[in-house]
């Protein structure tokens, strides 16, 4: 029996039980099954959550790019590593083989070295979804530099903060990017950020949109001529298992982003293992994750996880709505996608469009579908299952975080029976616990609590960059000897997990602890409601009161709003209790969301408390225009 090919539920439980009984042996076997190690580890895992300190594969030596590229050259150099699909469907896709990727990465790595980058230096990568982005990350990893990718939709302010926090010596950007029918002046944004980033000595600029941009003398260099000149051979730097691989910023509840630090061997083993099992990837399959590489989903499941398995991974430059709402399905047909991984928010927006956009295309290549980033509602799940998977493709609802490095709770296709809105079971090696408010573990089934993890796993972040105290406070201080995820979850009568949302979205109203998720669920059950968000605001009598923001379905828009408010309140009274009735209900056309579909409650909270002077950075929003509308009509 192989840890990598779990075929049915019984086998899952066997592997799972072993992974809990003997975690070190379990992960050792996984690490031995594949991979090129330059030196073997002395110890599989050592950990102390009170410091917190976690080490995996101690003293092992390796280079992750050797595992993601070189390992496949001898037999499979011509196999496609990356299929790049451009924004504009009339531009040609690129098929980059493992040997071409090898040359590209080596050249890029040599350019980095020639420009003063050494092992341990941080490099900020601010690039759109073009092949240079993948090559830049791998080039850093090849020479032991630490990449810090900043999503190319972030503002100059966000870019500057992240660049300075990580002390980056170099920035890699482009002359601009395409996004649907628009172009974005990336270099202009980068220039503005760089005014505040004195530590950046060199800026490498990729050419993508042929924009006429300013190049700052002595600082900015065009990338392509340097690549053309560079040697395509570069001996990989031998790294220690626990050497930093990358920093990736994730927004904190305070607004100051946390630079999550991931290290080399554990991250590699974990992303490779989870990718293979969860997508049941088989040789010659074509796998597509629609995320941007600027998020953890892209790092782990566009780049490192797939390449560490010698897979063919698709990188899409564009957006789901361009040139029309059929673009995803056109690409599935064009590249004969076998595994498709996307966010519930994308599914919901595409489900709203005409079914002609789906029916036009041949989706018969699909074998496994996935979702990530937020809870998927039942309606969207069924649409995905019926219209995209044609009821023949298991849907893996994958729960994880930037901090976990890889997927933690998810069905394994064909082994775990799926259940809409449930992420189902922990992967082998993952030991979840539900905790009550007094810090006690809630055992048994049909229970609900705060989701923690009891034992380290190889993919977990090891620190917050230069702020280990914050790492400890955020994840290890709430419950003793546990990693606290910040999410709430319930475990049903069969042991399946359902993630209910962030538990910091708890509001104390007249001394009652109210979670916003169940209130939102109650509101959403009203037939006229499409979606809602509830936040708290200060109230003289109650301490806090609730403010509901509600999006109506088309059918609800013509209804009398006062009647609707009454009906919604009635519904909340019945499902949660009268105490949970919002003081105010505002009907809105949209909610401020990040590109991965997470509602930015920070903004709604400020609007609800009439504190709209300083909304903070809204550049990461998918729909910044909706904020003005909500403020204008606020109650
Ligand atoms: C991968 C990613 C992490 C937060 C996490 C949850 C939420 C993610 C699911 C989910 C319900 C899911 N990293 N979340 N996946 N909630 N079901 N399948 O999204 O760092 O950006 O966000 O996202 O709240 O804590 S992240």
């Amino acid at each position: 029996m192989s840890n990598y090919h779990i075929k049915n539920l019984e086998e899952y439980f066997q592997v799972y039980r072993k992974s809990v009984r003997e975690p070190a042996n379990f992960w050792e076997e996984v690490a031995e099954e594949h991979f090129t190690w330059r030196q073997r580890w002395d110890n599989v895992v050592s950990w102390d959550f009170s410091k917190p300190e976690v080490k995996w594969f101690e003293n092992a030596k390796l280079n992750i790019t050797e595992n993601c590229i070189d390992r496949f050259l001898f037999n499979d150099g011509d196999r496609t590593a990356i299929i790049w699909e451009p924004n504009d469907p009339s531009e040609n896709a690129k098929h980059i083989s493992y040997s071409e990727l090898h040359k590209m990465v080596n050249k890029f790595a040599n350019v980095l070295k020639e420009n003063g980058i050494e092992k341990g230096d941080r490099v900020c990568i601010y690039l759109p979804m073009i092949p240079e982005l993948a090559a830049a990350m791998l080039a850093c990893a090849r020479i032991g530099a630490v990449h810090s990718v900043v999503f190319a939709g972030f503002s100059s302010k966000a870019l500057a903060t992240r660049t300075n926090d990580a002390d980056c010596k170099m920035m890699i950007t482009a002359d601009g990017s395409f996004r649907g029918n628009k172009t974005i002046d990336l270099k202009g944004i980068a220039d503005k950020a760089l005014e505040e980033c004195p530590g950046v000595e060199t800026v490498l600029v990729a050419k993508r949109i042929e924009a006429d941009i300013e190049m700052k003398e002595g600082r900015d260099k065009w990338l392509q001529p340097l690549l053309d000149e560079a040697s395509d051979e570069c001996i990989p730097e031998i790294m220690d298992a626990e050497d930093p691989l990358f920093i990736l910023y994730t927004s904190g509840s305070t607004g100051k982003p946390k630079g999550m630090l991931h290290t080399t061997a554990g991250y590699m083993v974990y992303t490779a293992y989870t990718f293979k099992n969860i997508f049941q990837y088989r040789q010659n399959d074509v796998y597509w994750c629609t995320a941007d590489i600027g998020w953890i989903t892209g790092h782990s499941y566009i780049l490192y996880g797939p390449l560490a398995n010698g897979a063919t991974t698709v990188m899409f430059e564009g957006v789901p709505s361009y040139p029309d709402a059929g673009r995803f399905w056109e690409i599935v047909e064009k590249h004969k996608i076998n595994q498709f991984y996307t966010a519930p928010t994308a599914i919901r927006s595409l489900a709203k469009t005409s079914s002609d956009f789906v029916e036009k295309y041949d989706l018969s290549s699909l074998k496994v579908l996935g979702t990530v980033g937020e809870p998927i509602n039942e309606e969207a799940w069924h649409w995905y299952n019926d219209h995209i998977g044609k009821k023949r493709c298991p849907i893996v609802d994958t729960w994880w975080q930037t901090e976990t490095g890889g997927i933690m709770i998810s069905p394994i296709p064909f082994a775990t029976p799926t259940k809409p809105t449930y992420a189902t079971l922990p992967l082998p090696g993952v030991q979840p616990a539900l905790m009550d408010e007094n810090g006690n573990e809630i055992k048994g089934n049909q229970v609900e609590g705060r989701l923690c993890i009891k034992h380290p796993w190889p993919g977990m972040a090891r620190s917050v960059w230069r702020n280990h105290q914050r790492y400890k406070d955020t994840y290890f201080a709430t419950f003793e000897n546990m990693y606290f995820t910040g999410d709430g979850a319930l475990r049903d009568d069969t042991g399946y997990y359902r993630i209910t949302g962030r538990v910091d979205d708890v509001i104390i109203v007249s001394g009652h602890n109210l979670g916003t998720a169940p209130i939102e669920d109650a509101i959403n059950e009203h037939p006229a409601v499409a979606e809602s968000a509830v936040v708290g605001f200060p109230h003289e009598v109650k301490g806090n009161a609730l403010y509901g923001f509600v999006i109506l379905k088309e059918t609800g828009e013509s209804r009398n709003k006062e009647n609707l408010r009454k009906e919604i309140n009635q519904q909340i009274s019945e499902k949660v209790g009268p105490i949970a009735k919002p003081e105010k209900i505002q009907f809105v056309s949209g909610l401020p969301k990040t590109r991965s579909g997470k509602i930015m409650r920070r903004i709604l909270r400020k609007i609800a408390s009439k504190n709209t002077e300083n909304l903070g950075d809204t550049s990461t929003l998918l729909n910044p225009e909706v904020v003005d509308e909500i403020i204008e009509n606020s109650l």
Side-chain angles (χ1 to χ4, degrees), residues 446-592:
Q446 278 197 303
V447 293
E448 186 168 358
R450 281 134 210 265
L451 179 61
C452 290
I453 313 288
K454 290 198 255 191
H455 189 278
W457 62 101
M460 68 190 290
R462 303 294 196 268
S463 192
V464 170
W465 180 252
R466 294 208 171 140
N467 197 347
H468 199 66
Q469 187 62 39
R470 192 165 176 206
Y471 176 68
K472 179 173 176 170
D473 293 346
T474 313
Y475 307 106
F476 297 91
T478 319
F479 301 103
E480 204 181 330
N481 220 11
M482 298 258 176
Y483 167 84
F484 176 42
T485 66
D487 285 333
L490 61 82
R491 193 162 51 220
D492 77 0
D493 52 355
T494 63
Y496 273 18
Y497 288 86
R498 178 188 177 176
I499 313 303
T500 49
R502 305 290 304 167
V503 294
D504 43 25
D505 299 332
V506 167
I507 304 159
I508 303 179
V509 181
S510 308
H512 299 267
N513 266 356
L514 297 176
T516 56
I519 307 175
E520 289 161 8
D521 285 347
I523 299 176
N524 297 348
E525 277 173 36
H526 190 290
V529 171
E531 211 184 333
S532 64
V534 172
V535 298
F537 67 97
H539 187 278
E540 272 185 21
V541 180
K542 302 176 176 177
N544 290 295
L546 299 174
Y547 193 125
F549 296 88
V550 176
I551 308 177
L552 292 175
K553 290 186 182 152
E554 259 166 51
T555 50
E557 274 162 15
S558 55
R559 299 258 336 256
N560 176 297
K561 298 294 172 310
E562 268 324 299
N563 288 344
L564 270 180
R565 284 198 178 90
K566 278 192 198 126
E567 290 169 22
I568 289 172
N569 275 323
Q570 181 62 25
Q571 192 123 338
I572 295 170
S573 288
E574 280 167 23
K575 309 256 160 175
V576 190
I579 180 80
K581 283 194 291 191
E583 189 83 6
K584 299 174 181 178
I585 293 178
Q586 178 182 348
F587 296 103
V588 297
S589 71
L591 294 166

Side-chain angles (χ1 to χ4, degrees), residues 250 296-297 372-375 397-403 487 499 502 598:
T250 182
I296 190 69
T297 306
V372 58
E374 48 165 337
D397 176 346
T398 64
W399 173 83
W400 59 296
Q401 309 176 296
T402 305
E403 295 85 339
D487 285 333
I499 313 303
R502 305 290 304 167
K598 296 178 178 65

Side-chain angles (χ1 to χ4, degrees), residues 24-163:
N25 286 343
F26 171 77
W27 286 113
E28 180 156 68
E29 274 178 36
V30 172
E32 279 168 347
E33 208 171 311
H34 294 273
F35 308 114
T36 301
W37 300 97
R38 290 299 190 100
Q39 181 181 300
R40 200 184 157 88
W41 48 91
D42 297 330
N43 188 24
V44 180
V45 58
S46 63
W47 57 296
D48 178 348
F49 277 178
S50 70
K51 286 187 178 168
E53 187 179 85
V54 175
K55 288 184 192 151
W56 282 93
F57 308 112
E58 209 167 339
N59 295 330
K61 305 279 182 232
L62 73 157
N63 184 287
I64 196 170
T65 69
E66 203 170 21
N67 281 278
C68 287
I69 308 172
D70 305 47
R71 196 149 61 91
F72 307 107
L73 295 180
F74 189 72
N75 288 317
D76 300 301
D78 293 336
R79 184 192 297 165
T80 302
I82 297 176
I83 299 178
W84 175 73
E85 172 68 26
N87 176 65
D88 182 345
S90 66
E91 190 180 339
N92 286 336
K94 282 185 185 156
H95 288 68
I96 302 165
S97 69
Y98 274 87
S99 31
E100 285 163 340
L101 184 63
H102 184 245
K103 292 206 172 89
M104 239 171 115
V105 168
N106 284 346
K107 279 173 167 280
F108 212 138
N110 287 323
V111 170
L112 296 182
K113 282 204 232 172
E114 282 153 21
N115 283 277
I117 299 300
E118 294 172 8
K119 178 175 175 178
D121 288 344
R122 274 82 52 210
V123 174
C124 175
I125 303 178
Y126 185 64
L127 281 172
M129 286 285 280
I130 55 177
E132 287 86 342
L133 169 54
M137 293 165 76
L138 294 165
C140 287
R142 188 120 185 129
I143 65 168
V146 180
H147 58 70
S148 169
V149 179
V150 176
F151 169 58
F154 276 137
S155 66
S156 57
K157 185 113 205 62
L159 176 60
T161 312
R162 288 158 174 77
T163 305

Side-chain angles (χ1 to χ4, degrees), residues 165-182:
D165 187 80
D167 248 325
C168 295
K169 258 174 103 170
M170 177 188 271
M171 186 182 285
I172 305 173
T173 187
D175 62 344
S177 64
F178 293 116
R179 197 180 157 75
N181 55 16
K182 289 197 290 257

Side-chain angles (χ1 to χ4, degrees), residues 183-487:
T183 57
I184 292 164
D185 176 21
L186 269 199
K187 180 62 165 53
I189 300 170
D191 282 341
K192 191 142 179 262
L194 286 162
E195 284 171 19
E196 293 168 45
C197 304
V200 175
E201 291 159 15
T202 310
V203 178
L204 301 180
V205 186
K207 207 169 231 173
R208 174 59 184 132
I209 70 168
E210 306 283 334
D212 183 17
I213 55 162
E214 237 170 85
M215 294 290 278
K216 186 166 167 186
E217 186 78 39
R219 187 194 70 183
D220 301 354
K221 297 179 182 177
W222 287 107
L223 174 65
Q224 195 56 51
L226 299 177
L227 289 177
D228 293 342
E229 290 292 300
S231 154
D232 61 12
E233 275 168 52
C234 174
I235 294 171
E237 187 77 29
I238 304 306
M239 306 296 286
D240 187 84
E242 285 296 339
D243 276 340
L245 175 62
F246 67 85
I247 300 167
L248 184 63
Y249 286 87
T250 182
S251 51
S253 48
T254 57
K256 185 180 166 7
K258 301 188 282 277
M260 302 313 304
L261 179 68
H262 284 279
T263 59
T264 306
Y267 178 80
M268 173 185 79
V269 169
Y270 197 71
T271 53
Y273 175 74
T274 50
F275 171 76
K276 180 131 192 179
N277 253 317
I278 293 164
F279 297 102
Q280 290 290 304
Y281 185 87
R282 295 287 181 273
Q283 223 178 76
N284 301 320
D285 282 352
V286 180
Y287 159 89
W288 181 21
C289 164
T290 71
D292 191 288
I293 287 186
W295 308 117
I296 190 69
T297 306
H299 279 58
S300 301
Y301 298 110
I302 296 178
L303 203 63
Y304 287 113
L307 295 184
N309 281 285
T312 298
T313 176
V314 174
M315 203 178 154
F316 175 42
E317 184 188 33
V319 294
S321 55
Y322 180 79
D324 62 42
R327 186 67 191 279
F328 272 6
W329 322 126
E330 184 219 315
I331 296 173
V332 168
E333 176 182 286
K334 176 176 174 188
H335 296 300
K336 302 194 172 52
I337 303 295
N338 302 113
Q339 293 88 3
F340 178 76
Y341 190 31
T342 197
T345 180
I347 298 169
R348 279 196 300 270
S349 74
L350 293 173
K352 275 197 218 147
T353 64
S354 158
S355 57
D356 297 351
F357 286 121
V358 180
E359 255 101 76
K360 256 184 23 209
Y361 299 104
D362 177 6
L363 307 183
S364 61
S365 58
L366 289 171
K367 296 195 280 193
V368 174
L369 301 176
T371 70
V372 58
E374 48 165 337
I376 182 163
N377 51 306
E378 198 138 354
E379 216 174 329
W381 193 97
H382 283 295
W383 184 85
Y384 200 30
N385 190 39
D386 297 349
H387 290 84
I388 306 306
K390 320 281 184 200
K391 295 199 169 90
R392 4 166 240 100
C393 305
I395 297 176
V396 292
D397 176 346
T398 64
W399 173 83
W400 59 296
Q401 309 176 296
T402 305
E403 295 85 339
T404 68
I407 297 167
M408 302 286 281
I409 303 182
S410 167
I412 292 174
F414 314 108
T416 322
T418 59
K419 176 173 175 181
T421 76
Y422 282 75
T424 74
L425 297 169
L427 292 183
V430 174
Q431 301 186 31
L434 296 179
M435 306 297 289
D436 71 15
E437 271 144 57
N438 306 318
N440 300 316
E441 185 172 352
I442 311 167
K443 301 265 172 90
N445 287 343
Q446 278 197 303
V447 293
E448 186 168 358
R450 281 134 210 265
L451 179 61
C452 290
I453 313 288
K454 290 198 255 191
H455 189 278
W457 62 101
M460 68 190 290
R462 303 294 196 268
S463 192
V464 170
W465 180 252
R466 294 208 171 140
N467 197 347
H468 199 66
Q469 187 62 39
R470 192 165 176 206
Y471 176 68
K472 179 173 176 170
D473 293 346
T474 313
Y475 307 106
F476 297 91
T478 319
F479 301 103
E480 204 181 330
N481 220 11
M482 298 258 176
Y483 167 84
F484 176 42
T485 66
D487 285 333

